[in-house]
Structure formats: structure tokens, C-alpha cells
Amino acid sequence: MTEPSTRVVIADDDREMRDALADLIASQPGLELAGEAVSHDDAIRLAARDHPRVLVLDARMPDGETAATIRSIQDRSPNTAVLVLSAYEDPGNAVELLSAGATGYLVKGAADSEILEAIARAARGQVSISLPLAKECLAVLRRNLETERRASAATLQSANVLRQLLDRIRAAAILLGANGAIEMIN
């Protein structure tokens, strides 16, 4: 009994890139090209209609936002793995798109074998990202975490200072939020 083919959709607004990926996928016996999209809306529509196992998505296409597209694809076709191909090795963008649900992030110009392996890994539910970019992504996450910690500490400190000031006021004081809700009463 033969294994079923992995159905793949390509979404890229660059005709040459779509043709190159289509030729690469067509050359592989275990892969089937299920469709081609030229926009974010096309990618979402094809994923919802055809439920491919993998959707290879250009990170920067006009008329849409990639993270929102990934989330829409996941909502409409939860078993479709989204593999992002980007012209830029941008760790901030990679973190954002992986957080949105992408299964991998490759930089255009990667070897055909790397793209094929990433498609196979995506079909198995595994992540694909180059080691140098993964290290840069971890650095971005560390910086973001440290920034959040500092902001939380500053917010807590400000709240404590405000609380101390309100406690010293002899008259009653009510602090209202921007929405009119009571935030604090001394």
C-alpha cells in the first residue's frame, strides 16, 4: 500500500518564486501541489476549501497581514501546517509569525533540500528554523521578557506610590479609570 501524498499549497505574489516552488514540489513523488495563491485572501480561501497538509506562505505579500493570515488559516483548516518563506532573516518577524502559529520560518534562497525537509517536517508537525535564526529569536524573546518584567515592576512601583499617597490624604479620595470605573479608593 502506498503512502498518500502530502498536499501542498503555495502562496506567493512573485510569479517566479511560485513557479520555482511548484516545479520543486512536482518533482517529488511524495508531494502533490494542491494549489497556488497570489494573496493573503487566496491563501486563506484555498486552505479552507482544500485543507492541504502544508501551506508555504510568503511572509510579505500585499493586501494583508501575515500573522492574521496564519491565524485565519489555522481557524479554517486546523490540520494545515503553515511554513513561512521570507526574503528577510528577521528574528522579530520570525518570533511573531511562529507565535501566530507558523510551523516554520525559512529564508528565501534556502537550498531545495532544506525547503523539502521543512515541508516534510511541517507535515509531521515539527518546527523548521535555521539554528542561527533560532538563537536570534531566543535573544528577542529574552529582551521582550526583560522589558515586560521592567514594565511590570515600574507599574507595581507606581501603584504602590499612588496607594501610599492616597493613604496619607485625610479626606476620602476615589481614583477613576479612563472608562469611569473605580480603580482605587483610600
Side-chain angles (χ1 to χ4, degrees):
M1 185 171 179
T2 61
E3 292 276 324
S5 293
T6 300
R7 301 182 74 235
V8 180
V9 166
I10 300 164
D12 199 306
D13 60 319
D14 181 320
R15 180 66 166 162
E16 289 180 20
M17 188 67 183
R18 273 195 326 277
D19 288 347
L21 288 169
D23 289 345
L24 179 63
I25 289 166
S27 73
Q28 299 303 304
L31 299 179
E32 173 190 344
L33 182 61
E36 296 180 33
V38 298
S39 70
H40 290 277
D41 288 341
D42 282 348
I44 295 166
R45 183 181 50 74
L46 283 175
R49 186 187 76 193
D50 297 336
H51 302 285
R53 184 64 197 106
V54 178
L55 190 143
V56 180
L57 179 65
D58 179 12
R60 296 201 181 163
M61 289 190 295
D63 302 327
E65 199 269 315
T66 308
T69 297
I70 292 167
R71 287 189 288 273
S72 292
I73 289 167
Q74 294 296 295
D75 288 345
R76 290 167 175 80
S77 184
N79 293 324
T80 297
V82 179
L83 174 63
V84 174
L85 274 181
S86 177
Y88 306 96
E89 191 170 36
D90 178 353
N93 193 42
V95 167
E96 177 189 5
L97 298 180
L98 291 167
S99 296
T103 308
Y105 187 99
L106 293 181
V107 178
K108 289 181 179 179
D112 288 353
S113 60
E114 189 176 350
I115 294 170
L116 292 170
E117 180 56 31
I119 291 170
R121 290 177 60 76
R124 294 191 303 263
Q126 298 172 327
V127 175
S128 292
I129 187 169
S130 71
L131 183 58
L133 183 56
K135 288 179 180 180
E136 290 181 53
C137 288
L138 289 174
V140 166
L141 291 171
R142 277 190 213 105
R143 284 192 301 273
N144 290 350
L145 183 59
E146 187 56 38
T147 300
E148 286 177 23
R149 283 184 184 151
R150 280 193 220 115
S152 294
T155 301
L156 182 59
Q157 183 179 8
S158 296
N160 287 336
V161 167
L162 183 58
R163 184 170 283 115
Q164 289 172 0
L165 287 173
L166 288 174
D167 287 344
R168 291 184 183 146
I169 297 174
R170 291 183 177 248
I174 299 173
L175 179 64
L176 299 177
N179 63 356
I182 296 174
E183 297 286 328
M184 195 179 298
I185 300 175
N186 73 336

